[in-house]
Amino acid sequence: MIFRWIRSVGAVVHSPACSAGVRWVHGGGGRPCPRRVIARLGTVSLLRPAPQPSRNVLTSHTFVTASKERPFSLQDEVTWKYLQRLVAEGQTVMDKLQTGLDTDTEHQKLAQRWDELRPIVEKVRQVEKTMEELAEVEKLLASLKDAETEMRDLALQEKQSYKNDMEHLEDEILTLLVPADEADENDIILEVAAGVGGQEAMLFTSDIFEMYCQYAAYKNWHMQVLTSDSSSIGGLRHATASIKGWNAYKLMKLEAGVHRVQRVPRTERAGRVHTSTMTVAVLPQPKEIDNTWNKSEFKIETKKASGAGGQHVNTTESAVRIVHIPTGLAVECQQERSQIQNRSIAMQTIQARLYQIKLDQQRSQQQLTRQQQMGTAARSEKIRTYNFTQDRVTDHRAGVNMFNLQDFFTGGDKLDEMIQTVQQHVQTEEVLLILEQERQQYKQ
């Protein structure tokens, strides 16, 4: 909202240019008074605009709204300087775009960069306005007498409102500062594999896989089981599935890692609690524009399928093994009776793994790797524990506990809430890493 000062004493005019909130009039002692108080008096007067903050240059402010418990705060000097630099860059980009002297390629790059910076610039300007208005409220509070309780209460309410606005702006800016992941919009290959714990680990793997199947339905994604290897008592040794849908990789990528369960297995007769593990991998499926591998890089072998499966087993060469010659990465598939289908599944899987390796290398170079994907250190990390005796699930990255495991395993609201919470935690850490790098540069 925009502050305005009153020329005459004791009144305020309602102008379309002013949004709801506090407007000021000169009360008898020259102090401004909140609009709400004057509105009760029913008086009218003329206004003159207060000085507005610059739209291009950020000024220094002392930020007092962020709680000490909030890891990201505009109160931090380095954070504010970093935002100033982004706003200045945005102004430079806009100036270049307006000159029209750049080539088509340069213009496209500048336009793309401006699209990235514009939301940040707009939010920072909102912060400037909010801080100007908060300063006016604090000036009013400092000038009020002890007896003016009603006026003080109104001013305190407005001050708290501005503080809440600042916290919302901090959260929005934090989200805008999160580095974009080029694969966020990609479809995925989901892989689950039993870990330590024998048959109980396989049963737990089956439970987790079923949970993700239900979560895919909850998000209206299309899910197709590609391969599965079941145990004799209904568990899963290994399974893969293709998931296609909006934000599939963005939401599921943080599920990758080691999941641990603590419960009494159905195979346990003495009632002892066992600890078992399983591993989840989330591999982004490359789009056509991401698929840069030459067919000559792959060696395709066929052989007869093995194991249980009917007459086609050991009689037809339906099983397919694909090797990526430069890296030695290999994938086998004998899930389907058709060699063509098995070849398609194997090629889809090996390309997803190669794309994952490519993304991991890029993130490592940019020092923004979150160590959460299969193929990174996350393989040996325990990211989440499901404790059935205490009916609790704990995510160890965000330090979040949730209860009612039966509801959690339905793959609905609770799982979605956990994913969103972990995502927010990881995004905050990514931004703090960027700011820490900025801090080190300032020290040099």
Side-chain angles (χ1 to χ4, degrees):
M1 66 195 74
I2 304 174
F3 280 98
R4 297 176 181 269
W5 291 91
I6 307 303
R7 287 183 175 177
S8 57
V9 177
V12 68
V13 65
H14 295 273
S15 167
C18 300
S19 57
V22 176
R23 301 189 181 97
W24 310 97
V25 299
H26 286 298
R31 296 189 306 270
C33 304
R35 176 189 60 80
R36 294 175 185 171
V37 176
I38 303 304
R40 295 174 185 171
L41 301 178
T43 52
V44 178
S45 181
L46 299 175
L47 303 173
R48 61 181 178 88
Q52 297 298 308
S54 169
R55 297 182 63 83
N56 297 327
V57 182
L58 294 181
T59 55
S60 299
H61 293 298
T62 302
F63 292 92
V64 295
T65 62
S67 166
K68 294 181 180 180
E69 298 178 356
R70 294 173 65 85
F72 175 78
S73 171
L74 297 177
Q75 203 172 359
D76 180 69
E77 181 181 4
V78 174
T79 301
W80 189 244
K81 286 183 177 179
Y82 178 65
L83 291 174
Q84 283 182 309
R85 184 161 65 82
L86 293 179
V87 171
E89 181 186 353
Q91 186 64 47
T92 301
V93 170
M94 178 55 65
D95 291 342
K96 290 182 179 179
L97 285 172
Q98 291 175 346
T99 61
L101 300 178
D102 47 293
T103 64
D104 290 343
T105 302
E106 292 173 342
H107 183 86
Q108 185 177 3
K109 291 181 179 179
L110 289 171
Q112 181 178 357
R113 182 55 177 162
W114 173 242
D115 286 341
E116 296 172 353
L117 292 173
R118 181 174 57 185
I120 298 175
V121 172
E122 291 174 351
K123 292 300 176 184
V124 170
R125 288 171 177 169
Q126 290 183 33
V127 170
E128 287 185 301
K129 293 179 182 180
T130 303
M131 289 307 303
E132 291 286 342
E133 293 162 356
L134 180 58
E136 296 293 349
V137 176
E138 291 175 338
K139 185 186 299 184
L140 170 64
L141 283 169
S143 64
L144 289 175
K145 298 179 180 178
D146 294 339
E148 298 176 293
T149 56
E150 183 178 4
M151 184 79 72
R152 181 177 296 276
D153 290 342
L154 289 172
L156 287 173
Q157 291 177 15
E158 293 296 335
K159 180 179 179 180
Q160 185 59 47
S161 176
Y162 287 130
K163 287 186 175 182
N164 293 339
D165 290 343
M166 281 296 300
E167 290 192 357
H168 289 313
L169 287 169
E170 282 182 349
D171 293 338
E172 291 172 348
I173 290 176
L174 172 62
T175 302
L176 293 172
L177 291 178
V178 175
D181 191 328
E182 68 176 68
D184 274 350
E185 297 180 359
N186 290 35
D187 300 327
I188 65 172
I189 296 289
L190 173 69
E191 293 191 23
V192 297
V196 179
Q199 290 287 352
E200 167 59 11
M202 298 179 195
L203 291 171
F204 178 50
T205 302
S206 179
D207 293 339
I208 293 293
F209 189 65
E210 177 63 24
M211 178 181 72
Y212 289 137
C213 289
Q214 295 185 61
Y215 184 66
Y218 172 81
K219 302 298 289 188
N220 293 317
W221 295 335
H222 178 266
M223 183 174 185
Q224 177 187 5
V225 178
L226 301 178
T227 65
S228 63
D229 184 7
S230 302
S231 68
S232 58
I233 62 173
L236 277 178
R237 295 183 180 89
H238 179 268
T240 61
S242 169
I243 298 179
K244 299 180 180 180
W246 185 70
N247 275 349
Y249 181 70
K250 181 178 181 179
L251 292 175
M252 288 295 295
K253 62 183 177 181
L254 296 181
E255 292 299 287
V258 177
H259 295 239
R260 182 178 70 172
V261 64
Q262 295 173 324
R263 65 182 178 186
V264 179
R266 69 175 72 169
T267 56
E268 172 61 44
R269 297 182 179 180
R272 293 173 298 183
V273 175
H274 288 220
T275 298
S276 304
T277 63
M278 60 83 61
T279 302
V280 175
V282 180
L283 310 174
Q285 293 192 56
K287 300 178 182 178
E288 291 297 328
I289 58 175
D290 301 322
N291 191 348
T292 58
W293 300 283
N294 195 303
K295 291 183 179 180
S296 62
E297 297 181 15
F298 298 98
K299 178 182 179 182
I300 302 177
E301 303 171 348
T302 60
K303 63 179 182 178
K304 294 178 180 179
S306 60
Q311 295 182 355
H312 77 289
V313 175
N314 296 322
T315 59
T316 61
E317 292 192 348
S318 59
V320 175
R321 182 174 187 266
I322 300 179
V323 180
H324 185 244
I325 298 173
T327 62
L329 185 65
V331 170
E332 292 186 15
C333 183
Q334 60 175 30
Q335 181 73 13
E336 305 295 335
R337 297 191 177 190
S338 166
Q339 182 188 115
I340 296 177
Q341 290 177 315
N342 286 332
R343 179 180 299 191
S344 176
I345 293 173
M347 184 60 72
Q348 187 179 18
T349 303
I350 197 169
Q351 287 183 347
R353 290 183 178 176
L354 289 170
Y355 186 52
Q356 177 65 58
I357 293 173
K358 175 184 175 182
L359 291 179
D360 285 342
Q361 291 174 346
Q362 291 176 351
R363 291 166 186 161
S364 177
Q365 292 173 358
Q366 297 169 354
Q367 298 183 354
L368 294 175
T369 301
R370 293 308 313 153
Q371 296 185 350
Q372 72 232 359
Q373 290 298 307
M374 189 175 187
T376 69
R379 285 182 178 178
S380 59
E381 286 187 355
K382 172 187 63 187
I383 66 168
R384 191 173 295 158
T385 295
Y386 305 80
N387 190 314
F388 278 76
T389 58
Q390 299 179 9
D391 196 26
R392 183 191 72 229
V393 56
T394 301
D395 193 280
H396 302 286
R397 296 161 296 182
V400 178
N401 291 314
M402 297 184 71
F403 297 88
N404 192 344
L405 282 173
Q406 183 177 358
D407 193 15
F408 190 88
F409 272 90
T410 61
D413 292 337
K414 281 191 174 293
L415 176 58
D416 193 53
E417 181 183 350
M418 175 67 81
I419 289 174
Q420 299 286 353
T421 302
V422 174
Q423 189 174 65
Q424 184 177 7
H425 171 78
V426 171
Q427 289 175 346
T428 302
E429 286 194 337
E430 288 180 340
V431 174
L432 292 178
L433 177 59
I434 294 174
L435 295 176
E436 182 59 31
Q437 294 172 349
E438 289 287 321
R439 199 181 311 276
Q440 295 302 323
Q441 292 179 4
Y442 284 131
K443 289 181 180 179
Q444 294 176 356

